[in-house]
Amino acid sequence: MLKDFNFKKIIQGRLFKGDEIISEITKILKEKSITSGLISGIGAVSKVKIGYYDQKKRQYISKEFCEPMEILSLKGNISLKDGEPFAHIHIILSKEDYSTIGGHLFEASVFAFEFEIIELDGIPSERGYDEDTGLFLWKC
Ligand code: ZN
């Protein structure tokens, strides 16, 4: 399945200490009616909840890490889920000992966060339940 989009614009922004990344990004997407795009960011967090998808059990195993960490890379895509803008985001973090962890991002408490949203122009992709994986993937 391939779709063509045109570049629309880039929004650059930051969040503030104590903000939660997923809820703030979702709020921005809804306010600006962004339904297709990409997101990337760097910064630092005080706490995260990330997930690993167990392909056999077909469910996310999530874990919280409550310690200061650097966001080495946060990236994701923006589409529609249940008719609303939805950001699917993954993250790689580094700990004090320089080891890294990563996964599907459920929640993150910001210490500092700078991001770019690349808005795309085209017919937005819509997520729907996928029988083969148990995930909500792009249907069209
Ligand atoms: Zn994911």
Side-chain angles (χ1 to χ4, degrees), residues 32-78:
K32 294 186 170 291
S33 299
I34 298 170
T35 55
S36 299
L38 309 166
I39 180 166
S40 64
I42 54 174
V45 297
S46 54
K47 189 172 98 172
V48 292
K49 184 178 176 185
I50 55 176
Y52 170 83
Y53 191 70
D54 186 318
Q55 296 178 13
K56 275 190 184 148
K57 291 182 184 161
R58 295 159 70 99
Q59 65 185 27
Y60 277 101
I61 299 160
S62 65
K63 189 168 176 178
E64 275 191 27
F65 294 86
C66 300
E67 58 193 281
M69 291 173 283
E70 296 282 320
I71 301 173
L72 301 184
S73 179
L74 173 149
K75 68 175 288 178
N77 57 50
I78 297 155

Side-chain angles (χ1 to χ4, degrees), residues 78-109:
I78 297 155
S79 57
L80 290 173
K81 187 178 177 190
D82 300 322
E84 300 278 348
F86 176 81
H88 179 198
I89 297 175
H90 287 188
I91 192 167
I92 300 169
L93 301 145
S94 76
K95 296 184 169 192
E96 192 179 4
D97 66 359
Y98 302 101
S99 64
T100 55
I101 58 167
H104 176 99
L105 184 62
F106 286 111
E107 282 176 36
S109 296

Side-chain angles (χ1 to χ4, degrees), residues 6-18:
N6 291 311
F7 170 78
K8 195 167 178 185
K9 71 178 167 196
I10 296 180
I11 296 160
Q12 194 173 53
R14 62 167 287 201
L15 297 180
F16 294 88
K17 193 173 175 225

